[in-house]
Amino acid sequence: MRPSVSEHSPGSSSAPAGPRVLAVANQKGGVGKTTTAINLGTALAAVGERVLIVDLDPQGNASTGLGVQRRAGQKSTYHVLMGEASMRNVIVDTGIPRLHCAPSTMDLLGAELELANIDRKTYRLADAIAALAKADDPNRSYSYMLVDCPPSLNLLTINALSAADAILVPLQCEFFALEGLSQLIKTVERVKSNLNPRLTIQGVVLTMFDRRNNLSEQVAEDVRSVLGDKVYQTVIPRNVRISEAPSHGKPVLLYDNACVGSQAYIRLASEIIRRERELRAA
């Protein structure tokens, strides 16, 4: 994971100007990572933020969940990482005001091997985001970028962590939750030491929470005892409407704004904005 001699950190430990970049990451699959990325992005856009969802998962669920169709020959985040397209030129409109998407394609499956011998292979996304900010295009200007990572700690995820100001961790309320979280925290520390000194954990969001299940309550209690205030007060409940929404190509906030899942993501967006204000004021 150490950078080669030709790679250098993109900046000091101070936060850069431009959008706030949050990597939505967990090496475990099925924890609600993509669901959190698209619905949190929608909720942030709904309260007036300009948001870009960057889909770095070859499965492309964040793209399809926002109604973005995957087409043959489409430029995607793969082409951004390979230097074949700028971030500005792959961004598409989602049809949701103030919310855009840099879509994924299956080409990303081979990105790790192709990046292996490329200079600054861990900073390809960071460089692309920096170039987008320098372009000073009001139509491509964002207050938040949410990077949806694949469910593994591969070079795609490392690119996201190297570009991010902070990591947002969706954590399913299940027995092995803390075990997976400890591995992710170690990875964050290694990336912070070797690649991105400004990286922090913005917070952990508990997902698929079932108040009827004692295990959910126990996991929540255990995680809060370990991480304290890093765990958001908002929890995302198990909700059938959240599960149904992707098949309609919509975030749950558009599919059923009144359901408990939608309301939870609106509260989460408010909590994240409040934390960000506190960080800037500190």
Side-chain angles (χ1 to χ4, degrees):
M1 189 178 299
R2 279 185 189 278
S4 64
V5 174
S6 64
E7 296 179 81
H8 304 281
S9 174
S12 67
S13 58
S14 61
R20 180 71 169 167
V21 182
L22 302 179
V24 184
N26 191 324
Q27 75 273 23
K28 288 175 65 63
V31 299
K33 176 181 57 60
T34 298
T35 298
T36 295
I38 63 176
N39 287 297
L40 174 59
T42 303
L44 288 168
V47 297
E49 303 289 348
R50 287 184 57 84
V51 183
L52 175 66
I53 304 289
V54 180
D55 193 348
L56 274 195
D57 189 342
Q59 297 178 76
N61 290 336
S63 305
T64 55
L66 288 167
V68 177
Q69 300 300 315
R70 305 174 85 179
R71 304 182 305 275
Q74 180 182 28
K75 296 295 185 182
S76 69
T77 50
Y78 164 82
H79 299 92
V80 171
L81 295 179
M82 294 298 123
E84 297 173 8
S86 67
M87 182 71 79
R88 181 174 180 271
N89 289 333
V90 306
I91 292 172
V92 298
D93 193 351
T94 65
I96 300 169
R98 295 178 296 278
L99 180 64
H100 292 164
C101 177
S104 154
T105 55
M106 293 297 288
D107 296 319
L108 277 175
L109 285 171
E112 188 156 17
L113 287 176
E114 295 179 56
L115 285 170
N117 297 314
I118 294 179
D119 287 343
R120 294 179 61 81
K121 60 180 177 289
T122 56
Y123 295 120
R124 305 295 287 186
L125 181 61
D127 291 345
I129 290 173
L132 180 65
K134 286 180 182 176
D136 196 25
D137 180 352
N139 294 318
R140 295 290 183 262
S141 175
Y142 304 99
S143 49
Y144 284 94
M145 290 187 185
L146 304 181
V147 185
D148 187 37
C149 301
S152 59
L153 295 176
N154 59 17
L155 193 51
L156 295 174
T157 302
I158 299 304
N159 257 273
L161 298 183
S162 297
D165 297 298
I167 180 173
L168 190 156
V169 186
L171 193 70
Q172 185 178 0
C173 292
E174 62 170 21
F175 183 72
F176 292 112
L178 279 175
E179 179 180 324
L181 183 60
S182 65
Q183 295 171 0
L184 187 61
I185 290 173
K186 289 177 182 176
T187 299
V188 170
E189 289 304 315
R190 288 198 295 269
V191 170
K192 185 171 183 176
S193 297
N194 298 320
L195 300 173
N196 180 6
R198 74 176 184 275
L199 184 66
T200 62
I201 295 179
Q202 212 277 357
V204 175
V205 56
L206 298 172
T207 62
M208 305 181 194
F209 187 88
D210 188 347
R211 296 191 183 280
R212 300 167 300 178
N213 188 335
N214 288 336
L215 179 59
S216 286
E217 296 283 1
Q218 185 61 54
V219 169
E221 185 178 323
D222 290 347
V223 174
R224 293 187 192 281
S225 69
V226 173
L227 293 177
D229 290 341
K230 284 292 184 186
V231 184
Y232 299 110
Q233 291 301 311
T234 303
V235 298
I236 308 301
R238 283 194 179 276
N239 178 230
V240 68
R241 306 300 269 177
I242 292 177
S243 301
E244 291 172 351
S247 66
H248 296 268
K250 294 180 179 180
V252 70
L253 279 86
L254 294 187
Y255 181 62
D256 184 351
N257 185 57
C259 74
V260 294
S262 292
Q263 295 304 306
Y265 278 113
I266 291 170
R267 289 194 299 274
L268 179 62
S270 297
E271 189 172 353
I272 286 174
I273 290 171
R274 184 169 63 250
R275 285 196 183 195
E276 291 294 325
R277 287 174 179 162
E278 290 170 355
L279 285 171
R280 286 193 293 267

